[in-house]
Amino acid sequence: MALKNLLALVVLLALVGVSVAKPYGNPLRNQNGHRNPRATGDLDLDYYRSTCPQLESIVRRVTFQYVSRRPTLAAALLRMYFHDCFVRGCDGSILLKSPNKDAERDAIPNLSVRGYEVVDAVKSSLERTWGCRGVVSCADILALVARDAVAVIGGPWWPVPLGRRDGRISKLSEVNLPSPFADVKTLKKNFMDKGLNSKDLVVLSGAHTIGVSSCGLINNRIHNFTGKGDFDPAMNPSYVRTLKKRCKPTDVKTPVDMDPGSARKFDSHYYNIVAQKKGLFTSDATLLDDIDTSLYIQAQVVTRGASFARDFSDSMVKLGFVEILTGKQGEIRRRCAFVN
């Protein structure tokens, strides 16, 4: 790209409020060094310092044991955390089991969620640790595990303020997650309803850099988009040909990388793929249909992801404050899969 075009892009980004590369800062504080309003309330980075000071070292150790052996758990645990926070907030309700199979984890979008054993292993270890028994919420454990799982595979790190309480309610009927088939207008509303903005949408979509889906979710898009045996015209034709070789019309199980060529590395390559019209889902491709999200994608492509790690960290901190329970709300579960 010519220098004048690059400068024009940077000016446009400044006008729409999309950040390009800046030095790392503290997501819990604003540009003047004052505490971010979204980081106030009852959450605190040192919440367990006097009660369970070993917490973060235990979470790191257990998470490393699992993710180092099975790196794909990083994407799974990050997805679990996102799915938890978007239904009843970050309260660990996705972890609850129901004998009637009517909890959040029983909803169709959550049937493929995995990694519960990692959260359970952390909880068990904490319950055996002096001072930590009955102290740390499963909601906080999930928030830390998601962060540390990403770190194990070389992804960005972010601070996790703590003090969330566990929810007692988990209903399949309440699961209404952002859809992979949604357009950008719908996705922006989904995020706005949770106190997140357009930048958070496009930044957190970047987690698809380590995502894996299946042929079942894209078959209509590549084989029969309008019922006439066609494919979505928003897709790169060469990419469609590649996908058709992997996904036959009746195949619903074969896995498909969401960031082909870089699916095992947490980086900004996802934005290159989307810019080339190779986004796997409609929800990826539609990010090019909005000026804010499209400009962010262009910025990451041009700067080779100069700000992505910091931006992702900032948005993950914001996500962790969505509709949380604190104080005397909820409970501290003894076992993450069951209310006390």
Side-chain angles (χ1 to χ4, degrees):
M1 180 179 288
L3 179 59
K4 65 179 182 180
N5 290 338
L6 175 59
L7 290 173
L9 174 60
V10 172
V11 170
L12 277 172
L13 292 171
L15 288 174
V16 298
V18 180
S19 69
V20 291
K22 295 186 210 172
Y24 275 80
N26 183 346
L28 301 180
R29 297 187 180 275
N30 62 25
Q31 293 179 345
N32 298 318
H34 300 304
R35 196 164 179 82
N36 188 320
R38 293 195 64 81
T40 59
D42 297 315
L43 297 194
D44 195 303
L45 291 170
D46 299 322
Y47 187 83
Y48 296 105
R49 173 168 287 187
S50 62
T51 54
C52 183
Q54 311 99 312
L55 170 60
E56 295 204 34
S57 62
I58 290 172
V59 175
R60 277 195 301 271
R61 173 177 56 79
V62 175
T63 303
F64 179 81
Q65 289 172 351
Y66 279 86
V67 179
S68 61
R69 293 195 301 263
R70 296 162 56 199
T72 58
L73 276 173
L77 290 162
L78 186 58
R79 180 174 178 241
M80 181 192 293
Y81 182 55
F82 182 85
H83 283 210
D84 182 50
C85 291
F86 257 74
V87 182
R88 286 191 163 266
C90 307
D91 67 345
S93 53
I94 195 173
L95 305 171
L96 289 172
K97 290 182 178 179
S98 165
N100 300 319
K101 300 294 183 182
D102 58 359
E104 288 176 31
R105 66 194 290 167
D106 301 306
I108 290 176
N110 289 334
L111 292 178
S112 58
V113 169
R114 58 191 181 90
Y116 296 103
E117 70 275 16
V118 184
V119 178
D120 290 339
V122 171
K123 182 64 171 177
S124 295
S125 182
L126 289 169
E127 292 296 299
R128 295 192 301 268
T129 302
W130 185 87
C132 299
R133 185 178 179 87
V135 169
V136 182
S137 69
C138 297
D140 276 345
I141 291 172
L142 179 54
L144 289 167
V145 164
R147 189 267 309 275
D148 290 349
V150 170
V152 169
I153 63 167
W157 183 94
W158 58 91
V160 179
L162 302 165
R164 298 167 190 81
R165 303 272 290 181
D166 294 324
R168 297 189 181 99
I169 299 171
S170 183
K171 295 181 179 180
L172 181 156
S173 61
E174 293 183 348
V175 175
N176 185 23
L177 296 162
S179 169
F181 312 110
D183 60 25
V184 70
K185 182 179 179 180
T186 301
L187 293 170
K188 287 175 72 172
K189 184 179 187 308
N190 292 154
F191 274 65
M192 183 179 66
D193 288 345
K194 300 299 177 182
L196 303 171
N197 59 29
S198 298
K199 183 176 179 182
D200 298 316
L201 164 61
V202 68
V203 169
L204 293 175
S205 294
H208 286 174
T209 184
I210 55 171
V212 178
S213 186
S214 64
C215 291
L217 284 176
I218 62 166
N219 270 343
N220 281 347
R221 194 170 184 229
I222 64 174
H223 289 294
N224 198 27
F225 186 63
T226 64
K228 300 178 180 179
D230 55 349
F231 63 86
D232 184 349
M235 298 184 78
N236 184 310
S238 67
Y239 184 46
V240 173
R241 289 192 292 270
T242 299
L243 289 174
K244 283 183 174 181
K245 291 177 182 177
R246 186 170 183 83
C247 298
K248 302 308 177 185
T250 58
D251 181 359
V252 297
K253 294 184 178 180
T254 300
V256 183
D257 289 337
M258 299 192 69
D259 186 4
S262 185
R264 301 296 175 264
K265 184 178 180 183
F266 200 107
D267 58 18
S268 65
H269 187 258
Y270 163 81
Y271 297 109
N272 297 63
I273 292 297
V274 173
Q276 295 165 18
K277 298 188 176 181
K278 297 180 181 179
L280 190 65
F281 294 152
T282 298
S283 59
D284 298 310
T286 193
L287 296 175
L288 294 174
D289 299 331
D290 176 84
I291 186 169
D292 291 347
T293 53
S294 179
L295 282 173
Y296 185 86
I297 290 168
Q298 293 176 49
Q300 297 312 307
V301 172
V302 169
T303 65
R304 297 183 179 181
S307 71
F308 175 54
R310 187 201 66 247
D311 294 338
F312 191 81
S313 298
D314 289 354
S315 289
M316 286 302 297
V317 172
K318 288 180 65 177
L319 177 66
F321 280 87
V322 171
E323 298 172 4
I324 54 174
L325 302 177
T326 59
K328 295 183 179 180
Q329 298 172 309
E331 64 183 13
I332 304 296
R333 288 185 217 136
R334 290 187 289 270
R335 291 186 297 167
C336 290
F338 305 95
V339 295
N340 294 339

